[in-house]
């Protein structure tokens, strides 16, 4: 099921999301929610989605990677590169808006997968950027808080 994406100024985008209780992974409804997040991300042509964008303030993000969609529960950045880089970002919850955001070029991230296994990944470039953007959502931070040269497109697709 494709979930509804909430947009600014919805207050839920500004809340700090709660960690997922790993017992919930045994719950069919929760597993269905994870599938719905991936389906929503794919349908909306997003490269990442955070649960608060669907109105649920829990620490779950999905990102698309070259190996397919990655579901990350309670993600935490454990290591950051010294170097940062600027690039353009947008967000389904901040429609028609783009801006340049400075992000760490490489990160290490620890998370729990949908089977309850703790995983670690090293990410760089776009994948690292998307993970940082989505984890910001879990802390109530939007890319426009950090962006330079913010532009708003007048016309919708
Ligand atoms: Zn976003």
């Amino acid at each position: 099921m494709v979930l509804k994406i909430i947009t600014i100024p919805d207050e839920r985008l500004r809340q700090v999301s709660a960690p997922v209780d790993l017992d919930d992974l045994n719950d069919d409804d929760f597993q269905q929610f994870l599938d719905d997040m991936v389906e929503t991300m794919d349908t909306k042509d997003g490269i990442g989605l955070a649960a608060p964008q669907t109105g649920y303030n829990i620490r779950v993000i999905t990102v698309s990677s070259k190996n397919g969609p990655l579901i990350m529960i309670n993600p935490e950045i454990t290591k950051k590169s010294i170097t940062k880089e600027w690039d353009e970002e947008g967000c389904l919850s901040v429609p028609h808006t783009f801006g340049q955001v400075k992000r760490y070029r490489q990160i290490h991230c620890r998370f729990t997968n949908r089977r309850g296994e703790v995983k670690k990944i090293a990410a760089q470039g776009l994948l690292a950027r998307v993970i940082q953007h989505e984890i910001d959502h879990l802390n109530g931070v939007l890319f426009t808080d950090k962006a330079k040269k913010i532009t708003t497109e007048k016309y919708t697709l």
Side-chain angles (χ1 to χ4, degrees), residues 4-13 53 91-95:
K4 185 177 175 339
I5 303 275
I6 61 172
T7 56
I8 52 167
D10 194 305
E11 272 304 305
R12 290 169 288 182
L13 292 169
Q53 294 181 273
C91 180
L92 293 171
S93 294
V94 189

Side-chain angles (χ1 to χ4, degrees), residues 9-64:
D10 194 305
E11 272 304 305
R12 290 169 288 182
L13 292 169
R14 290 304 189 176
Q15 288 172 20
V16 176
S17 291
V20 173
D21 180 340
L22 297 183
D23 285 344
D24 290 348
L25 297 178
N26 300 315
D27 181 356
D28 289 344
D29 288 343
F30 188 79
Q31 290 289 333
Q32 182 62 49
F33 173 70
L34 298 176
D35 288 330
D36 290 347
M37 275 191 66
V38 170
E39 189 181 341
T40 304
M41 175 176 73
D42 290 345
T43 303
K44 307 280 182 186
D45 286 328
I47 49 177
L49 187 68
Q53 294 181 273
T54 65
Y56 295 95
N57 284 108
I58 54 173
R59 302 188 82 82
V60 178
I61 65 173
T62 59
V63 298
S64 69

Side-chain angles (χ1 to χ4, degrees), residues 48 53 90-93 133-134 137 142-143:
Q53 294 181 273
C91 180
L92 293 171
S93 294
H133 175 117
E134 302 310 335
H137 273 300
L142 299 175
F143 84 97

